[in-house]
Amino acid sequence: MQQLLMLFVCLLMLGCQSLPSAQEGRARDVVFVQGETCLSDYAEDLKRVHYGPCLRVVSIDDRTPAVRGDGFVEVPAGERVTLGVQCVYRHQDGTLQQDTPHSNTLIVEEDQFSAAGERWYLNIRDNILRASGCRPTLSRSSRPPD
């Protein structure tokens, strides 16, 4: 019985990825930026999910970032950095439109990442349902703007 309990605890630990801790980020003077996300929103009038673009950080100051096991990349706090973000649109069924990737540059000023240990999330500047183009931004919320 004890072996079964240990196996269950191990499987639970492997299956659960925790978010990066603020303490960890402060110790290394970094913030955590979500490495990849696919945005979507529910279109109430159409009674269906509208699939927005998928965004991925492809570079930090022209270097390929290491994506942590929790899906975040580490970015220096209090420094001006340039994030390369790839945007891929999706079909109405949610599958990627492989022929649509394009890259955008997102410049983050020194004061935006002033507090080490914070988590930031990729979003787009426009409401997903009304967006035209893919203009990436960062927010402290994992929810896209209304």
Side-chain angles (χ1 to χ4, degrees):
M1 182 65 163
Q2 192 174 20
Q3 289 176 331
L4 187 58
L5 180 60
M6 282 298 281
L7 178 62
F8 175 73
V9 170
C10 288
L11 289 174
L12 185 63
M13 288 173 55
L14 288 173
C16 296
Q17 292 183 359
S18 63
L19 292 175
S21 74
Q23 182 178 359
E24 177 187 0
R26 286 190 295 271
R28 290 208 305 275
D29 200 27
V30 298
V31 296
F32 303 103
V33 175
Q34 181 181 40
E36 184 173 355
T37 188
C38 290
L39 303 172
S40 61
D41 206 353
Y42 186 73
E44 185 66 42
D45 56 336
L46 300 173
K47 304 285 188 231
R48 69 173 178 82
V49 173
H50 175 78
Y51 295 99
C54 292
L55 305 168
R56 182 169 52 108
V57 176
V58 293
S59 67
I60 300 172
D61 288 334
D62 294 324
R63 291 184 303 273
T64 303
V67 179
R68 298 164 39 109
D70 55 23
F72 287 80
V73 296
E74 296 180 8
V75 179
E79 293 182 21
R80 184 177 197 263
V81 294
T82 302
L83 300 179
V85 179
Q86 183 181 55
C87 180
V88 179
Y89 294 101
R90 294 192 285 169
H91 296 285
Q92 290 304 314
D93 65 359
T95 59
L96 294 176
Q97 295 179 14
Q98 296 297 339
D99 59 339
T100 65
H102 64 280
S103 296
N104 287 297
T105 301
L106 182 59
I107 297 175
V108 180
E109 298 298 338
E110 297 90 354
D111 60 345
Q112 184 166 358
F113 290 159
S114 59
E118 292 182 336
R119 288 187 297 273
W120 289 82
Y121 298 89
L122 289 168
N123 274 304
I124 56 174
R125 295 179 195 267
D126 304 305
N127 179 293
I128 292 172
L129 297 174
R130 295 184 289 279
S132 60
C134 186
R135 299 180 311 155
T137 189
L138 294 165
S139 77
R140 296 280 292 125
S141 172
S142 59
R143 286 282 309 146
D146 287 333

